[in-house]
Tab-separated table of all heavy atoms in Angstrom:
chain	number	residue	atom	x	y	z
A	7	VAL	N	23.812	27.564	5.523
A	7	VAL	CA	23.717	28.770	4.525
A	7	VAL	C	24.801	29.671	5.029
A	7	VAL	O	25.269	29.706	6.169
A	7	VAL	CB	22.407	29.528	4.718
A	7	VAL	CG1	21.274	28.538	4.159
A	7	VAL	CG2	22.082	29.810	6.063
A	8	THR	N	25.258	30.561	4.080
A	8	THR	CA	26.226	31.583	4.363
A	8	THR	C	25.642	32.829	3.716
A	8	THR	O	24.528	32.821	3.095
A	8	THR	CB	27.550	31.205	3.707
A	8	THR	OG1	27.464	31.066	2.254
A	8	THR	CG2	28.203	29.934	4.308
A	9	GLU	N	26.351	33.900	3.806
A	9	GLU	CA	25.999	35.155	3.067
A	9	GLU	C	25.857	35.065	1.636
A	9	GLU	O	25.098	35.636	0.970
A	9	GLU	CB	26.889	36.273	3.499
A	9	GLU	CG	26.904	36.630	5.000
A	9	GLU	CD	27.795	37.763	5.207
A	9	GLU	OE1	28.535	38.241	4.298
A	9	GLU	OE2	27.904	38.256	6.488
A	10	GLY	N	26.674	34.164	1.027
A	10	GLY	CA	26.658	33.877	-0.378
A	10	GLY	C	25.662	32.894	-0.892
A	10	GLY	O	25.546	32.628	-2.014
A	11	GLY	N	24.932	32.172	0.052
A	11	GLY	CA	23.989	31.186	-0.332
A	11	GLY	C	24.170	29.863	0.360
A	11	GLY	O	24.848	29.965	1.541
A	12	LEU	N	23.827	28.832	-0.200
A	12	LEU	CA	23.915	27.496	0.417
A	12	LEU	C	25.415	27.054	0.392
A	12	LEU	O	26.122	27.267	-0.538
A	12	LEU	CB	23.136	26.517	-0.394
A	12	LEU	CG	21.592	26.674	-0.351
A	12	LEU	CD1	20.929	25.543	-1.212
A	12	LEU	CD2	21.004	26.703	1.100
A	13	LYS	N	25.708	26.375	1.500
A	13	LYS	CA	27.064	25.797	1.689
A	13	LYS	C	27.165	24.497	0.881
A	13	LYS	O	26.074	23.781	0.688
A	13	LYS	CB	27.469	25.446	3.144
A	13	LYS	CG	27.953	26.739	3.757
A	13	LYS	CD	28.518	26.222	5.158
A	13	LYS	CE	29.318	27.483	5.823
A	13	LYS	NZ	29.845	26.989	7.096
A	14	ALA	N	28.278	24.167	0.434
A	14	ALA	CA	28.533	22.855	-0.292
A	14	ALA	C	28.315	21.684	0.661
A	14	ALA	O	28.422	21.793	1.868
A	14	ALA	CB	29.888	22.909	-1.071
A	15	GLU	N	28.298	20.580	0.002
A	15	GLU	CA	28.236	19.263	0.924
A	15	GLU	C	29.450	19.174	1.767
A	15	GLU	O	30.526	19.626	1.467
A	15	GLU	CB	28.192	18.064	-0.023
A	15	GLU	CG	27.959	16.771	0.726
A	15	GLU	CD	27.970	15.522	-0.244
A	15	GLU	OE1	28.118	15.783	-1.439
A	15	GLU	OE2	27.736	14.414	0.128
A	16	ALA	N	29.304	18.609	2.989
A	16	ALA	CA	30.425	18.468	3.938
A	16	ALA	C	31.549	17.638	3.182
A	16	ALA	O	31.312	16.590	2.686
A	16	ALA	CB	29.994	17.739	5.154
A	17	PRO	N	32.825	18.021	3.316
A	17	PRO	CA	33.881	17.430	2.654
A	17	PRO	C	34.014	15.879	3.072
A	17	PRO	O	34.419	15.087	2.268
A	17	PRO	CB	35.183	18.258	3.110
A	17	PRO	CG	34.614	19.500	3.454
A	17	PRO	CD	33.241	19.327	4.065
A	18	ILE	N	33.812	15.635	4.382
A	18	ILE	CA	34.022	14.282	4.909
A	18	ILE	C	32.870	13.279	4.157
A	18	ILE	O	33.131	12.130	4.033
A	18	ILE	CB	33.992	14.153	6.314
A	18	ILE	CG1	34.357	12.803	6.817
A	18	ILE	CG2	32.586	14.441	6.866
A	18	ILE	CD1	34.467	12.623	8.308
A	19	SER	N	31.688	13.895	3.818
A	19	SER	CA	30.651	13.149	3.264
A	19	SER	C	31.019	12.599	1.930
A	19	SER	O	30.459	11.521	1.420
A	19	SER	CB	29.393	13.832	3.215
A	19	SER	OG	29.006	14.354	4.469
A	20	LYS	N	31.896	13.294	1.097
A	20	LYS	CA	32.323	12.805	-0.236
A	20	LYS	C	33.758	12.477	-0.326
A	20	LYS	O	34.271	12.232	-1.420
A	20	LYS	CB	32.023	13.951	-1.271
A	20	LYS	CG	32.731	15.297	-0.883
A	20	LYS	CD	32.332	16.347	-1.824
A	20	LYS	CE	32.919	17.817	-1.382
A	20	LYS	NZ	32.506	18.873	-2.380
A	21	ALA	N	34.372	12.321	0.810
A	21	ALA	CA	35.827	11.841	0.821
A	21	ALA	C	35.927	10.313	0.620
A	21	ALA	O	35.168	9.556	1.088
A	21	ALA	CB	36.441	12.216	2.229
A	22	TRP	N	37.108	10.087	-0.070
A	22	TRP	CA	37.352	8.719	-0.362
A	22	TRP	C	38.012	7.963	0.868
A	22	TRP	O	38.265	8.584	1.863
A	22	TRP	CB	38.325	8.536	-1.439
A	22	TRP	CG	37.786	8.935	-2.860
A	22	TRP	CD1	37.768	10.241	-3.310
A	22	TRP	CD2	37.161	8.100	-3.764
A	22	TRP	NE1	37.018	10.227	-4.610
A	22	TRP	CE2	36.681	8.988	-4.860
A	22	TRP	CE3	36.837	6.738	-3.874
A	22	TRP	CZ2	36.048	8.440	-6.022
A	22	TRP	CZ3	36.260	6.244	-5.026
A	22	TRP	CH2	35.842	7.024	-6.037
A	23	ILE	N	38.217	6.752	0.920
A	23	ILE	CA	38.570	5.951	2.086
A	23	ILE	C	39.974	6.530	2.511
A	23	ILE	O	40.156	6.768	3.683
A	23	ILE	CB	38.741	4.447	1.778
A	23	ILE	CG1	37.340	3.896	1.394
A	23	ILE	CG2	39.420	3.665	2.839
A	23	ILE	CD1	37.427	2.455	1.063
A	24	TRP	N	40.903	6.662	1.407
A	24	TRP	CA	42.331	7.288	1.928
A	24	TRP	C	42.145	8.558	2.516
A	24	TRP	O	42.870	9.034	3.482
A	24	TRP	CB	43.234	7.144	0.817
A	24	TRP	CG	44.508	7.789	1.255
A	24	TRP	CD1	45.088	8.992	0.705
A	24	TRP	CD2	45.501	7.277	2.168
A	24	TRP	NE1	46.215	9.182	1.219
A	24	TRP	CE2	46.565	8.217	2.082
A	24	TRP	CE3	45.625	6.241	2.949
A	24	TRP	CZ2	47.658	8.084	2.993
A	24	TRP	CZ3	46.647	6.036	3.729
A	24	TRP	CH2	47.689	6.981	3.802
A	25	SER	N	41.320	9.336	1.975
A	25	SER	CA	41.110	10.737	2.544
A	25	SER	C	40.557	10.783	3.827
A	25	SER	O	41.044	11.584	4.752
A	25	SER	CB	40.140	11.572	1.606
A	25	SER	OG	40.092	12.857	1.937
A	26	ARG	N	39.653	9.845	4.224
A	26	ARG	CA	39.112	9.759	5.525
A	26	ARG	C	40.268	9.249	6.519
A	26	ARG	O	40.409	9.611	7.594
A	26	ARG	CB	38.062	8.800	5.574
A	26	ARG	CG	36.648	9.406	4.955
A	26	ARG	CD	35.582	8.244	4.824
A	26	ARG	NE	34.377	8.787	4.215
A	26	ARG	CZ	33.385	9.228	5.000
A	26	ARG	NH1	33.422	9.060	6.306
A	26	ARG	NH2	32.245	9.646	4.488
A	27	LEU	N	41.081	8.260	6.022
A	27	LEU	CA	42.110	7.713	6.897
A	27	LEU	C	43.165	8.703	7.280
A	27	LEU	O	43.701	8.615	8.311
A	27	LEU	CB	42.625	6.353	6.267
A	27	LEU	CG	41.783	5.208	6.278
A	27	LEU	CD1	42.418	4.053	5.560
A	27	LEU	CD2	41.402	4.677	7.575
A	28	SER	N	43.525	9.460	6.272
A	28	SER	CA	44.601	10.441	6.481
A	28	SER	C	44.177	11.881	6.814
A	28	SER	O	44.902	12.709	7.075
A	28	SER	CB	45.449	10.498	5.173
A	28	SER	OG	44.664	10.972	4.078
A	29	PHE	N	42.751	12.055	6.721
A	29	PHE	CA	42.176	13.344	7.099
A	29	PHE	C	42.717	14.409	6.131
A	29	PHE	O	42.576	15.627	6.384
A	29	PHE	CB	42.518	13.779	8.532
A	29	PHE	CG	42.003	12.889	9.578
A	29	PHE	CD1	42.842	11.925	10.231
A	29	PHE	CD2	40.741	12.974	10.029
A	29	PHE	CE1	42.279	11.017	11.184
A	29	PHE	CE2	40.163	12.188	11.021
A	29	PHE	CZ	40.943	11.113	11.522
A	30	SER	N	42.939	14.005	4.789
A	30	SER	CA	43.376	14.959	3.909
A	30	SER	C	42.189	15.886	3.320
A	30	SER	O	42.438	16.711	2.651
A	30	SER	CB	44.016	14.257	2.706
A	30	SER	OG	43.255	13.333	2.078
A	31	PHE	N	40.972	15.428	3.771
A	31	PHE	CA	39.821	16.231	3.241
A	31	PHE	C	39.761	17.578	3.917
A	31	PHE	O	38.980	18.386	3.454
A	31	PHE	CB	38.466	15.408	3.560
A	31	PHE	CG	38.315	15.130	4.981
A	31	PHE	CD1	37.678	16.033	5.841
A	31	PHE	CD2	38.609	13.987	5.561
A	31	PHE	CE1	37.446	15.759	7.093
A	31	PHE	CE2	38.468	13.603	6.854
A	31	PHE	CZ	37.758	14.492	7.680
A	32	VAL	N	40.584	17.877	4.914
A	32	VAL	CA	40.663	19.203	5.478
A	32	VAL	C	41.888	19.902	4.990
A	32	VAL	O	42.175	21.043	5.561
A	32	VAL	CB	40.602	19.148	7.040
A	32	VAL	CG1	39.337	18.528	7.554
A	32	VAL	CG2	41.816	18.358	7.589
A	33	ASN	N	42.702	19.480	4.087
A	33	ASN	CA	43.843	20.147	3.569
A	33	ASN	C	43.495	21.540	3.048
A	33	ASN	O	44.399	22.376	3.273
A	33	ASN	CB	44.596	19.328	2.491
A	33	ASN	CG	45.342	18.067	3.149
A	33	ASN	OD1	45.452	17.964	4.373
A	33	ASN	ND2	45.792	17.124	2.224
A	34	PHE	N	42.394	21.642	2.362
A	34	PHE	CA	42.020	22.855	1.788
A	34	PHE	C	41.802	24.052	2.938
A	34	PHE	O	42.300	25.170	2.776
A	34	PHE	CB	40.845	22.848	0.848
A	34	PHE	CG	39.554	22.719	1.649
A	34	PHE	CD1	38.799	23.909	1.963
A	34	PHE	CD2	39.216	21.563	2.229
A	34	PHE	CE1	37.575	23.776	2.660
A	34	PHE	CE2	37.939	21.518	3.060
A	34	PHE	CZ	37.201	22.586	3.183
A	35	LEU	N	41.390	23.524	4.062
A	35	LEU	CA	41.185	24.468	5.116
A	35	LEU	C	42.397	24.811	5.785
A	35	LEU	O	42.544	25.949	6.149
A	35	LEU	CB	40.183	23.796	6.136
A	35	LEU	CG	39.635	24.683	7.210
A	35	LEU	CD1	38.732	25.901	6.658
A	35	LEU	CD2	38.799	23.985	8.223
A	36	VAL	N	43.336	23.872	6.035
A	36	VAL	CA	44.670	24.185	6.569
A	36	VAL	C	45.379	25.230	5.692
A	36	VAL	O	45.996	26.028	6.137
A	36	VAL	CB	45.318	22.824	6.874
A	36	VAL	CG1	46.762	23.186	7.317
A	36	VAL	CG2	44.579	21.984	7.759
A	37	SER	N	45.339	24.902	4.352
A	37	SER	CA	46.122	25.662	3.422
A	37	SER	C	45.537	27.111	3.389
A	37	SER	O	46.289	28.205	3.460
A	37	SER	CB	45.937	25.077	1.980
A	37	SER	OG	46.449	25.955	1.051
A	38	LYS	N	44.211	27.249	3.459
A	38	LYS	CA	43.598	28.630	3.631
A	38	LYS	C	43.962	29.322	4.837
A	38	LYS	O	44.148	30.483	4.864
A	38	LYS	CB	42.107	28.545	3.463
A	38	LYS	CG	41.359	29.843	3.374
A	38	LYS	CD	39.872	29.645	3.173
A	38	LYS	CE	39.490	29.047	1.794
A	38	LYS	NZ	38.077	28.954	1.634
A	39	GLY	N	44.092	28.537	5.949
A	39	GLY	CA	44.392	29.142	7.318
A	39	GLY	C	45.825	29.626	7.320
A	39	GLY	O	46.135	30.466	8.181
A	40	THR	N	46.708	29.110	6.443
A	40	THR	CA	48.068	29.618	6.491
A	40	THR	C	48.168	30.922	5.764
A	40	THR	O	49.237	31.623	5.825
A	40	THR	CB	48.986	28.631	5.818
A	40	THR	OG1	48.572	28.507	4.394
A	40	THR	CG2	48.939	27.365	6.496
A	41	LYS	N	47.130	31.253	4.961
A	41	LYS	CA	47.206	32.489	4.155
A	41	LYS	C	46.415	33.648	4.722
A	41	LYS	O	46.762	34.766	4.532
A	41	LYS	CB	46.631	32.231	2.698
A	41	LYS	CG	47.387	31.188	1.891
A	41	LYS	CD	46.833	30.795	0.670
A	41	LYS	CE	47.543	29.657	0.055
A	41	LYS	NZ	46.836	29.248	-1.256
A	42	LYS	N	45.388	33.326	5.549
A	42	LYS	CA	44.664	34.383	6.161
A	42	LYS	C	43.919	33.824	7.414
A	42	LYS	O	43.892	32.554	7.640
A	42	LYS	CB	43.560	34.931	5.161
A	42	LYS	CG	42.365	34.001	4.913
A	42	LYS	CD	41.445	34.604	3.957
A	42	LYS	CE	40.141	33.809	3.843
A	42	LYS	NZ	39.374	33.908	5.047
A	43	GLU	N	43.375	34.803	8.092
A	43	GLU	CA	42.632	34.302	9.411
A	43	GLU	C	41.316	33.898	8.907
A	43	GLU	O	40.630	34.405	8.166
A	43	GLU	CB	42.462	35.585	10.301
A	43	GLU	CG	41.770	35.182	11.546
A	43	GLU	CD	41.618	36.400	12.526
A	43	GLU	OE1	42.258	37.440	12.230
A	43	GLU	OE2	40.858	36.261	13.542
A	44	LEU	N	40.908	32.560	9.396
A	44	LEU	CA	39.685	31.985	9.084
A	44	LEU	C	38.541	32.729	9.676
A	44	LEU	O	38.678	33.095	10.887
A	44	LEU	CB	39.734	30.482	9.414
A	44	LEU	CG	40.723	29.660	8.758
A	44	LEU	CD1	40.688	28.215	9.398
A	44	LEU	CD2	40.582	29.632	7.299
A	45	ASP	N	37.401	32.730	8.981
A	45	ASP	CA	36.186	33.236	9.523
A	45	ASP	C	35.061	32.135	9.423
A	45	ASP	O	35.391	31.101	8.827
A	45	ASP	CB	35.717	34.566	9.038
A	45	ASP	CG	35.619	34.530	7.461
A	45	ASP	OD1	35.282	33.520	6.949
A	45	ASP	OD2	35.996	35.487	6.905
A	46	HIS	N	33.896	32.494	9.918
A	46	HIS	CA	32.807	31.485	9.821
A	46	HIS	C	32.496	30.973	8.331
A	46	HIS	O	32.226	29.744	8.271
A	46	HIS	CB	31.513	31.999	10.557
A	46	HIS	CG	30.443	30.974	10.524
A	46	HIS	ND1	29.515	31.040	9.582
A	46	HIS	CD2	30.176	30.174	11.593
A	46	HIS	CE1	28.622	29.907	9.919
A	46	HIS	NE2	29.019	29.452	11.130
A	47	GLY	N	32.570	31.926	7.497
A	47	GLY	CA	32.310	31.588	6.005
A	47	GLY	C	33.267	30.614	5.416
A	47	GLY	O	32.922	29.979	4.520
A	48	ASP	N	34.478	30.477	6.034
A	48	ASP	CA	35.480	29.623	5.534
A	48	ASP	C	35.315	28.083	5.966
A	48	ASP	O	35.814	27.195	5.355
A	48	ASP	CB	36.960	30.027	5.934
A	48	ASP	CG	37.235	31.440	5.257
A	48	ASP	OD1	36.953	31.703	4.114
A	48	ASP	OD2	37.851	32.183	6.015
A	49	LEU	N	34.450	28.042	6.990
A	49	LEU	CA	34.367	26.712	7.582
A	49	LEU	C	33.437	25.835	6.723
A	49	LEU	O	32.324	26.341	6.239
A	49	LEU	CB	33.822	26.671	9.020
A	49	LEU	CG	34.732	27.539	10.002
A	49	LEU	CD1	33.964	27.607	11.440
A	49	LEU	CD2	36.122	26.822	10.062
A	50	PRO	N	33.739	24.550	6.484
A	50	PRO	CA	32.891	23.750	5.662
A	50	PRO	C	31.647	23.375	6.466
A	50	PRO	O	31.591	23.396	7.688
A	50	PRO	CB	33.652	22.559	5.283
A	50	PRO	CG	34.723	22.474	6.456
A	50	PRO	CD	34.943	23.827	6.892
A	51	SER	N	30.669	22.857	5.770
A	51	SER	CA	29.411	22.440	6.570
A	51	SER	C	29.645	21.041	7.241
A	51	SER	O	30.507	20.364	6.847
A	51	SER	CB	28.218	22.277	5.501
A	51	SER	OG	28.642	21.377	4.489
A	52	LEU	N	28.745	20.878	8.158
A	52	LEU	CA	28.882	19.522	8.933
A	52	LEU	C	28.150	18.518	8.041
A	52	LEU	O	27.137	18.807	7.376
A	52	LEU	CB	28.229	19.710	10.222
A	52	LEU	CG	29.112	20.542	11.332
A	52	LEU	CD1	28.239	20.746	12.581
A	52	LEU	CD2	30.372	19.717	11.663
A	53	PRO	N	28.473	17.169	8.384
A	53	PRO	CA	27.608	16.164	7.882
A	53	PRO	C	26.184	16.285	8.515
A	53	PRO	O	26.195	16.793	9.650
A	53	PRO	CB	28.299	14.924	8.285
A	53	PRO	CG	29.653	15.260	8.500
A	53	PRO	CD	29.707	16.744	8.873
A	54	GLU	N	25.155	16.023	7.877
A	54	GLU	CA	23.798	16.165	8.417
A	54	GLU	C	23.611	15.473	9.754
A	54	GLU	O	22.930	16.038	10.575
A	54	GLU	CB	22.797	15.742	7.398
A	54	GLU	CG	21.305	16.034	7.817
A	54	GLU	CD	20.369	15.704	6.761
A	54	GLU	OE1	20.723	15.474	5.618
A	54	GLU	OE2	19.100	15.781	7.015
A	55	GLU	N	24.155	14.295	9.817
A	55	GLU	CA	23.943	13.523	11.050
A	55	GLU	C	24.666	14.134	12.319
A	55	GLU	O	24.341	13.670	13.485
A	55	GLU	CB	24.484	12.078	10.979
A	55	GLU	CG	25.968	11.895	10.679
A	55	GLU	CD	26.311	11.874	9.265
A	55	GLU	OE1	25.466	12.321	8.523
A	55	GLU	OE2	27.458	11.476	8.930
Side-chain angles (χ1 to χ4, degrees):
V7 296
T8 61
E9 294 181 358
L12 296 179
K13 276 192 175 182
E15 184 182 4
I18 191 174
S19 299
K20 55 185 179 182
W22 293 86
I23 294 177
W24 174 249
S25 182
R26 287 172 177 263
L27 289 175
S28 62
F29 297 98
S30 60
F31 59 87
V32 297
N33 284 351
F34 77 97
L35 188 63
V36 176
S37 178
K38 185 180 292 186
T40 61
K41 300 173 183 176
K42 72 179 191 70
E43 183 177 351
L44 297 176
D45 55 33
H46 185 269
D48 296 322
L49 301 179
S51 59
L52 286 171
E54 184 172 351
E55 65 270 15

